[in-house]
Amino acid sequence: METEPRLAMVKAISDVLETMFFVSVDFAEWQPLPHASYYDSKILIYNEKQTIDVRFRIEAAFAKMATANFLGLDEKLVQADDIADVMRELANIVGGDFLGRLKGDQLQLGIPSCEPFEGDMGEASSKLQFSFMGDFAGVVMWTTGAGNE
């Protein structure tokens, strides 16, 4: 049932970005910028029966602005390490909120990771694109699989 996880992800992203990062985003199909730089953070949600691999591909300028907001810094003071740390935290917070909205038996969060990314956005069975102030800001993609049962 795809609509329930999609709605859960919309609410998780909206709530976390608005309350923790002080930004409001819109959800719609957007054309990502060709050859743009992104931060690719990911987290695994899992139990014995299933896995949900969640990937956040966030446009670099939006990631820097969100990091500055989250840390209470001027954007000029934000370093690449700060962005990577905060994008891992974004994956962790949104992943936890998303997990709380899902119906599942004893789902757990993995450890988030983040690395710079350049290239094609890729495909996923489920994805949700979002924008900030009319510009493409990122995409969240998730795929589900069988667990280790």
Side-chain angles (χ1 to χ4, degrees):
M1 195 158 99
E2 189 54 33
T3 45
E4 188 171 304
R6 185 175 180 82
L7 181 58
M9 186 59 80
V10 166
K11 289 182 177 186
I13 292 168
S14 294
D15 288 354
V16 169
L17 287 179
E18 287 176 13
T19 59
M20 305 290 292
F21 293 83
F22 311 107
V23 295
S24 181
V25 295
D26 297 310
F27 299 94
E29 290 294 317
W30 292 89
Q31 278 303 102
L33 300 171
H35 309 293
S37 296
Y38 299 94
Y39 282 88
D40 195 43
S41 57
K42 58 185 174 180
I43 194 160
L44 185 66
I45 299 171
Y46 64 95
N47 64 16
E48 290 181 358
K49 298 177 185 174
Q50 68 175 329
T51 62
I52 306 169
D53 184 19
V54 183
R55 182 177 305 266
F56 301 83
R57 198 155 284 161
I58 309 296
E59 193 273 325
F62 180 81
K64 186 172 186 176
M65 180 270 304
T67 297
N69 288 358
F70 186 76
L71 297 176
L73 295 174
D74 186 293
E75 272 189 61
K76 295 174 190 167
L77 300 175
V78 172
Q79 302 295 312
D81 287 346
D82 297 327
I83 297 170
D85 288 344
V86 170
M87 292 301 102
R88 279 189 291 272
E89 191 60 27
L90 173 70
N92 195 44
I93 298 169
V94 173
D97 192 297
F98 178 62
L99 176 129
R101 296 172 190 274
L102 293 176
K103 294 181 177 139
D105 296 328
Q106 300 175 338
L107 289 167
Q108 299 178 47
L109 275 180
I111 297 174
S113 64
C114 180
E115 57 190 36
F117 175 85
E118 288 187 31
D120 183 31
M121 278 302 199
E123 290 300 317
S125 56
S126 301
K127 73 178 180 179
L128 187 59
Q129 296 178 335
F130 58 96
S131 67
F132 175 70
M133 304 289 287
D135 292 324
F136 177 80
V139 61
V140 180
M141 301 173 281
W142 63 99
T143 54
T144 57
N148 297 332
E149 201 173 44

